[in-house]
């Protein structure tokens, strides 16, 4: 069992909330939930002492792609205020298709990954 014991002052969570509010993105604060694997696993490598404040922001499957794009824009405004944004996870997340290097990448995942790479190359999308 792994524990990543980073903490976060309320001022950091408040800034994230303000950024989300500015883009009219609905959100809820959950002070009881621990960090999920996609959050703590890269941070444990980057900051093993867990001595940086962490605010975990999760995507929500019920929200449309346009809302998630606004989410990126909202969080992007925090880059210039000494926030380090770490976005982790897979471009496609179908655990039923994971083969851990034993099989070819499914065609839908390969084509979507290529599309995302092309989109991210344009400065206006950063």
């Amino acid at each position: 069992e792994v524990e990543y014991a980073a903490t976060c002052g309320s001022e950091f969570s408040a800034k994230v909330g303000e950024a989300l509010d500015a883009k009219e993105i609905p959100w809820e604060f959950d002070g009881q939930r621990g960090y999920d694997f996609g959050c703590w696993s890269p941070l444990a490598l980057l900051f093993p002492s867990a001595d940086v404040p962490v605010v975990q922001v999760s995507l929500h499957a019920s929200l449309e792609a346009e809302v998630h794009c606004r989410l990126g824009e909202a969080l992007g405004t925090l880059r210039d205020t000494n926030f380090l944004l770490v976005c982790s996870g897979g471009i496609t997340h179908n655990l039923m298709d994971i083969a851990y290097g034993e099989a070819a990448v499914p065609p839908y995942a390969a084509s979507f990954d290529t599309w995302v790479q092309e989109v991210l190359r344009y400065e206006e999308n950063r």
Side-chain angles (χ1 to χ4, degrees):
E1 183 153 325
V2 176
E3 180 178 329
Y4 190 72
T7 59
C8 182
S10 60
E11 69 273 13
F12 294 105
S13 298
K15 286 184 181 186
V16 170
E18 290 168 7
L20 298 177
D21 286 341
K23 292 289 184 177
E24 299 179 353
I25 298 169
W27 62 277
E28 295 178 19
F29 176 74
D30 182 350
Q32 302 300 311
R33 181 179 174 191
Y35 301 121
D36 66 30
F37 178 79
C39 179
W40 68 257
S41 59
L43 291 176
L45 296 172
L46 293 167
F47 306 103
S49 299
D51 56 356
V52 297
V54 175
V55 178
Q56 175 176 287
V57 177
S58 301
L59 302 181
H60 199 287
S62 69
L63 298 177
E64 297 177 5
E66 182 270 332
V67 176
H68 286 111
C69 288
R70 285 196 334 241
L71 173 64
E73 291 173 357
L75 295 177
T77 65
L78 298 172
R79 283 186 301 211
D80 299 327
T81 61
N82 293 325
F83 269 72
L84 169 65
L85 304 176
V86 178
C87 303
S88 68
I91 294 295
T92 59
H93 194 266
N94 185 345
L95 297 177
M96 301 303 290
D97 279 346
I98 292 180
Y100 299 102
E102 298 172 13
V105 175
Y108 75 88
S111 64
F112 187 68
D113 187 61
T114 299
W115 177 81
V116 168
Q117 289 179 43
E118 291 297 320
V119 168
L120 293 177
R121 284 192 177 116
Y122 295 103
E123 183 64 33
E124 66 269 13
N125 295 330
R126 294 182 186 178

